[in-house]
Amino acid sequence: MKTEKVECLIIGSGPAGYTAAIYTSRAGLKPVMYTGSQPGGQLMITNDVENYPGYPKGKKKKKMMEDFKNQALRFGSDIRFGMATKVDFSGPTHKVVIDDNIEISSDCIIIATGASAKWLGIESETRLNGKGVSACAVCDGFFFKNQEVAIVGAGDTACEEASYLSKLCKKVYMIVRRDSMRASIIMQERVKNTPNIEICWNSETDEILGSEEVEGVRLFNNKTKEKREIKVSGFFVAIGHQPNTEIFKGWIDMDESGYIKTIPGTSKTNIQGVFACGDAQDHIYRQAVTAAGSGCMAALDGERYLAANGHN
Ligand code: NDP
């Protein structure tokens, strides 16, 4: 296997990873970034980005991530396509294998691998993704102002997002597959007491309707076996997220869902010289701007760690 030593390795290329690259390259650390399989990260699956400060007219998702990338390149970041497939954090110098064929070693690793939204896995959901189907109400709810939308899920996220949508949209159908919700009681009560949220119990999504954009949803009631169509222009999926942290298991401390634990107020993990930022360590805020902020923290923590350990 080929080997290479770099000063700073960044794994992942969402807003957190690129921000870490901008800061570390400006600090002269010559960071090498491996993008992962979806360069640009989760933002690439949203519509326009309107809530990132500094873009008063909003920004096309791809253009925004190109801007992030170009800013990182401008200061000398080395951005490469590739997936981290294995890590070894046993020694003072950390090792990360990329695509099973090159081993990168570095004293400073910044994990920015993000989290992936879980999807229902039906054909119409994939086909209409970005055309009315979204996994982020805070990102995309505004595009459905005064319209009718549906949201799938019955956890705290679904309740929180349904409440958020109810303030923007005319009506919100909440599609719940059982006759009860998993969410905390207080969150459940909030949606149950919101007049423009209709909870569709025992309901599964049979199909999202529409050819070019979402026009409705066909629901299947798993108790009565009846099908019903509702007219909506937005379809939100809120059935959980999966942090992309599998390869770090056994090395890095995580919570029970796989989110990396960082020392509060820092990006430091339980391993010296390994820092985490973005959605891989944040199941609460999950915004581009918070991810970018934590990428900055990881870069500064990494830079200080290297300086304290004899790197110039
Ligand atoms: P959860 O895993 O808690 O809930 C997922 C929900 O999606 C469940 O209701 C589940 O249904 C449903 N679901 C899963 N798969 C499907 C499917 N294929 N079709 C239909 N429904 C499906 O995820 P969350 O993202 O809601 O929450 C993650 C964690 O974050 C939790 O610990 C939560 O408490 C926390 N959180 C806290 C918040 C807060 O305190 N403000 C806000 C948001 C999240 P079922 O119940 O039938 O399995």
Side-chain angles (χ1 to χ4, degrees), residues 87-133:
V87 301
D88 178 348
F89 294 157
S90 59
T93 296
H94 308 303
K95 294 174 186 156
V96 177
V97 175
I98 306 292
D99 292 332
D100 295 319
N101 71 16
I102 178 165
E103 184 185 88
I104 309 282
S105 58
S106 181
D107 293 343
C108 174
I109 309 278
I110 295 178
I111 299 172
T113 47
S116 303
K118 292 183 188 163
W119 296 97
L120 299 173
I122 55 178
E123 183 274 333
S124 48
E125 175 190 55
T126 315
R127 183 167 47 80
L128 294 167
N129 202 317
K131 298 170 184 162
V133 172

Side-chain angles (χ1 to χ4, degrees), residues 120 152-158 160 177-178 182 187 238-241 283 286:
L120 299 173
V152 187
D156 282 329
T157 302
E160 202 167 74
R177 66 180 173 183
R178 294 186 289 126
R182 186 190 295 215
M187 302 289 273
I239 61 171
H241 283 79
H283 70 275
R286 296 197 294 240

